[in-house]
Amino acid sequence: NAGVTQTPKFQVLKTGQSMTLQCAQDMNHNSMYWYRQDPGMGLRLIYYSASEGTTDKGEVPNGYNVSRLNKREFSLRLESAAPSQTSVYFCASRVQGDTGELFFGEGSRLTVL
Amino acid sequence: QKEVEQDPGPLSVPEGAIVSLNCTYSNSAFQYFMWYRQYSRKGPELLMYTYSSGNKEDGRFTAQVDKSSKYISLFIRDSQPSDSATYLCAMSDYTGGFKTIFGAGTRLFVKA
């Protein structure tokens, strides 16, 4: 019963460093999402992938890139980390479309110094 | 103005109290309304899901949607310490674009 698995759970970076957050789901879902959660801001969509082979920008895509590696995996890359990217990142998946339950991972806490 | 407004709290109540959590929104195209519960250092989990206006009940939880007022509520009866969490409202429209908007979340503490 893994559901949505994110790695790493915690990471500290220096400004300018790069890193990739990994996400995998075992529920055979078509759609996958990356959100960031900041105090007082709620969950904001960074990028999403409606289906394997497609990706699109969400509300706050600047400074990020994504790769839908296959149906199971959706990664988020920070090419040159900035302190403003300090946040908790959540990967989520859904059967398909934009309605229906979102299943979330446990989050990746990123601090950029 | 944010599309979805939610009082961040914190809200502190004694065990057994009735809790009312609320969100307002500005986009009349929203048709799907959800409440997620998020425990500390965990990901959100779906609690209630409602389509269009009306009420939905599930055990101690009742979700209400008033589209005319652009207002949604979650009521928790006989609140328990295990209900202590952050509650996020969320809503989606059906006009494409894979758009689900979340409120900022309300932190709830239920004291034993």
Side-chain angles (χ1 to χ4, degrees), chain A residues 10 31 33 35 37-38 40-43 45 48 50 59 90 94 96-107 109, chain B residues 2 8 32 34 36 38 40-46 49 86 88 92-94 96-105:
Chain A
F10 301 93
S31 303
Y33 306 79
Y35 288 89
Q37 186 174 37
D38 302 289
M41 301 294 291
L43 286 160
L45 183 63
Y48 64 94
E59 182 184 356
F90 287 98
R94 172 186 265 154
Q96 65 181 29
D98 194 40
T99 60
E101 181 175 0
L102 279 165
F103 292 82
F104 286 87
E106 293 206 336
R109 292 180 172 271
Chain B
K2 295 180 182 177
Y32 300 87
M34 294 144 281
Y36 283 80
Q38 184 178 19
S40 181
R41 297 185 177 270
K42 297 291 187 181
E45 297 175 303
L46 183 67
Y49 186 99
T86 296
L88 301 113
S92 299
D93 63 25
Y94 201 57
F98 300 93
K99 183 178 177 181
T100 298
I101 303 296
F102 284 83

Side-chain angles (χ1 to χ4, degrees), chain B residues 39-56:
Chain B
Y39 291 115
S40 181
R41 297 185 177 270
K42 297 291 187 181
E45 297 175 303
L46 183 67
L47 189 60
M48 299 285 283
Y49 186 99
T50 310
Y51 171 70
S52 193
S53 286
N55 294 359
K56 184 174 183 179

Side-chain angles (χ1 to χ4, degrees), chain B residues 5 14 26 28-29 31 34 36 49 54 63 66 72 76 80-81 94 97:
Chain B
E5 298 278 0
S26 58
S28 58
Q31 295 188 53
M34 294 144 281
Y36 283 80
Y49 186 99
D66 182 350
I72 70 170
I76 307 174
Q80 302 295 310
Y94 201 57

